[in-house]
Amino acid sequence: MKRYAWFLILTIIFFSACNNSGKLLEEPTIDQEKMAQVATDLHIIEAHLQNAPAKQRDSIKSLLYHQIYKIHNIDSTELLENQKIYYQQPEMVEAIYGRILELLDEKEKKLDAMPELK
């Protein structure tokens, strides 16, 4: 659970950065579940990049992010626009990050069950 502590820190930072005084500009085009799945994949990439050589980190990150966008049939602009919409509603962000933690736990359990990794 220690590895998820930074996710909670990120959530707190996001909540503190949210501006509740503005009205919601539009509806998100990415639903909450898909947003959680995309964010989960991006968090996993970020975790793996911590071990990548500094000189190669940016190019690896760019390549992996493009693959995630392709897998989820979105682009970086759509993701950023949806993040802005969701961050105007902290309760939605909290629900998304709760789902991210669930997805990460599921992935961890699957990895733990793989005999070749033991």
Side-chain angles (χ1 to χ4, degrees):
M1 218 46 190
K2 289 180 183 179
R3 66 178 116 176
Y4 300 125
W6 67 279
F7 289 119
L8 296 176
I9 293 169
L10 283 175
T11 303
I12 293 168
I13 292 169
F14 286 134
F15 285 139
S16 66
C18 291
N19 181 1
N20 292 333
S21 62
K23 291 184 178 180
L24 184 62
L25 300 176
E26 56 187 274
E27 291 296 315
T29 58
I30 301 174
D31 64 54
Q32 285 184 344
E33 179 63 24
K34 184 174 182 177
M35 192 69 163
Q37 292 171 356
V38 171
T40 299
D41 290 343
L42 295 177
H43 284 308
I44 291 170
I45 288 171
E46 291 294 332
H48 284 292
L49 287 174
Q50 296 298 318
N51 298 323
K55 292 181 181 179
Q56 298 172 346
R57 197 171 291 144
D58 288 339
S59 59
I60 294 170
K61 180 178 179 176
S62 177
L63 176 68
L64 293 174
Y65 269 55
H66 286 293
Q67 288 178 347
I68 295 301
Y69 299 147
K70 187 175 180 179
I71 290 168
H72 294 284
N73 197 29
I74 61 172
D75 59 34
S76 60
T77 303
E78 183 180 12
L79 179 63
L80 291 173
E81 289 173 357
N82 278 268
Q83 283 177 328
K84 288 178 187 176
I85 294 167
Y86 279 119
Y87 291 152
Q88 293 176 10
Q89 300 182 36
E91 66 282 350
M92 287 182 145
V93 175
E94 184 176 2
I96 290 169
Y97 270 89
R99 182 65 179 135
I100 291 169
L101 291 174
E102 290 172 5
L103 291 168
L104 288 170
D105 283 339
E106 290 171 14
K107 289 179 184 288
E108 184 177 36
K109 286 177 185 174
K110 285 180 184 177
L111 286 174
D112 288 343
M114 296 177 74
E116 60 271 6
L117 295 178
K118 291 182 180 180

